[in-house]
Amino acid sequence: DAKTTQPTSMDCAEGRAANLPCNHSTISGNEYVYWYRQIHSQGPQYIIHGLKNNETNEMASLIITEDRKSSTLILPHATLRDTAVYYCIVRRFMEYGNKLVFGAGTILRVKS
Amino acid sequence: GAVVSQHPSRVICKSGTSVKIECRSLDFQATTMFWYRQFPKQSLMLMATSNEGSKATYEQGVEKDKFLINHASLTLSTLTVTSAHPEDSSFYICSATGARGAYGYTFGSGTRLTVV
């Protein structure tokens, strides 16, 4: 699975959009971009995933560049409860038994 | 949505004893379960993958005799830390998925193990 590069940490003002970048320059054609987050002392929570088209759900939007070498997770109106570690993971679609490997992630701090 | 329950959430045990952690899929059949360990301020490290009815596959460097994994049913997997020592103190998290990745990867809430 392709490796990802994320900034170590970011700050965001409450109520503003949080834009979390992820570089995955070695991504293959059949690999998806997944985003998870982990709030302190909890298990990771699925946010969103995509292949090449932009995706949106009730939690966030995922913008993938045309060459698919990078993506941005957007939390449109960040709240204090969005403070967490955000993980960008690139891998093939969830095949049987395929494991999910986590990198270091980005610590997002939402401040009032 | 898919729910995974992990129990206990916290456990304190004496050095040399064994501790069992349970991971249950409440509303789907979990054909594959994963166990992770997380030390403070570090990312999740995959320990092993278990498929229902089969022996677990351990990641390199993880002692299979120390971390016993059982996945005897489609809704339950257990991780037993045998002869625990203080260095085994960590946050243990399970994850489950259904056949062909159905239900995505759902994580339990984690177990904080402290060995004294």
Side-chain angles (χ1 to χ4, degrees):
Chain A
D1 296 326
K3 291 186 177 179
T4 62
T5 303
Q6 298 178 252
T8 302
S9 64
M10 294 181 64
D11 290 340
C12 176
E14 188 179 20
R16 306 298 291 266
N19 298 288
L20 292 90
C22 179
N23 286 321
H24 31 78
S25 58
T26 60
I27 192 170
S28 300
N30 61 352
E31 289 181 317
Y32 287 70
V33 180
Y34 288 89
W35 282 86
Y36 282 78
R37 73 179 182 183
Q38 185 180 25
I39 296 171
H40 182 63
S41 294
Q42 296 182 24
Q45 175 190 24
Y46 166 81
I47 301 174
I48 199 167
H49 76 278
L51 182 61
K52 51 185 176 182
N53 296 322
N54 297 337
E55 302 287 344
T56 296
N57 62 22
E58 65 278 4
M59 288 183 68
S61 295
L62 174 60
I63 308 298
I64 303 174
T65 58
E66 193 169 343
D67 62 7
R68 302 208 324 122
K69 292 185 177 182
S70 66
S71 61
T72 301
L73 177 73
I74 301 173
L75 306 179
H77 305 287
T79 70
L80 298 178
R81 288 178 293 180
D82 291 322
T83 293
V85 180
Y86 287 76
Y87 298 98
C88 169
I89 302 170
V90 172
R91 62 183 304 280
R92 290 168 297 170
F93 190 62
M94 296 172 178
E95 298 168 338
Y96 181 76
N98 230 350
K99 55 191 178 184
L100 209 58
V101 178
F102 288 79
T106 295
I107 299 171
L108 175 67
R109 288 180 283 257
V110 181
K111 299 184 177 182
S112 59
Chain B
V3 178
V4 172
S5 174
Q6 190 171 339
H7 179 80
S9 58
R10 293 178 179 272
V11 60
I12 301 173
C13 72
K14 292 185 177 180
S15 185
T17 62
S18 296
V19 174
K20 180 183 286 188
I21 302 170
E22 292 187 348
C23 181
R24 294 181 183 272
S25 57
L26 299 186
D27 51 3
F28 69 100
Q29 294 185 328
T31 51
T32 305
M33 286 188 171
F34 306 88
W35 287 94
Y36 295 81
R37 181 167 56 179
Q38 186 175 34
F39 292 108
K41 297 187 178 181
Q42 293 187 22
S43 186
L44 287 78
M45 185 193 77
L46 181 65
M47 299 174 66
T49 301
S50 72
N51 295 308
E52 184 265 337
S54 303
K55 288 185 178 180
T57 301
Y58 291 80
E59 296 297 306
Q60 192 172 9
V62 177
E63 301 174 60
K64 59 182 66 177
D65 293 332
K66 182 167 188 61
F67 299 100
L68 301 179
I69 292 172
N70 183 283
H71 190 171
S73 79
L74 285 171
T75 58
L76 174 64
S77 176
T78 60
L79 168 67
T80 301
V81 183
T82 63
S83 186
H85 292 285
E87 56 266 29
D88 298 323
S89 298
S90 188
F91 192 53
Y92 293 87
I93 308 168
C94 71
S95 175
T97 186
R100 299 187 185 87
Y103 310 106
Y105 286 74
T106 304
F107 288 81
S109 54
T111 297
R112 175 74 59 192
L113 170 63
T114 303
V115 184
V116 298

